[in-house]
């Protein structure tokens, strides 16, 4: 398996885990509004969105690094 494929597969798995956590927290906030603060949904959305976006940005850079390393290894 190429390094590019490994990076893509790893990023998909990590993003799916983060999306699952986001889904769980959003569901928790809707199911028990008396246990969370009024701005819980907004805070969860901002935090998880920032985490997923930041990780996606790092994954984008890592993909190009892996592509370069694949080209070097092919020579």
């Amino acid at each position: 398996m190429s390094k590019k494929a490994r990076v893509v597969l790893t990023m998909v798995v990590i993003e799916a885990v983060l999306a699952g956590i986001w889904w769980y927290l959003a569901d928790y906030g809707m199911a028990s509004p008396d246990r969370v603060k009024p701005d819980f949904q907004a805070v969860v959305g901002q935090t998880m969105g920032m985490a997923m976006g930041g990780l996606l940005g790092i994954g984008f850079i890592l993909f190009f690094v892996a592509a370069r390393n694949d080209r070097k290894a092919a020579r």
Side-chain angles (χ1 to χ4, degrees):
M1 181 182 291
S2 70
K3 291 179 183 176
K4 286 190 307 188
R6 279 188 252 163
V7 167
V8 169
L9 182 63
T10 303
M11 294 308 298
V12 167
V13 169
I14 292 172
E15 289 285 336
V17 168
L18 286 174
I21 293 170
W22 192 350
W23 186 274
Y24 170 76
L25 289 173
D27 187 48
Y28 177 77
M30 288 188 297
S32 53
D34 54 328
R35 294 180 138 191
V36 297
K37 292 192 174 201
D39 63 341
F40 178 78
Q41 296 290 356
V43 170
V44 167
Q46 289 172 354
T47 304
M48 295 303 293
M50 184 180 64
M52 291 176 75
L55 189 65
L56 193 60
I58 291 170
F60 192 68
I61 293 168
L62 289 175
F63 178 79
F64 287 116
V65 170
R68 186 187 68 201
N69 289 341
D70 281 346
R71 282 195 305 271
K72 282 182 181 179
R75 285 190 224 155

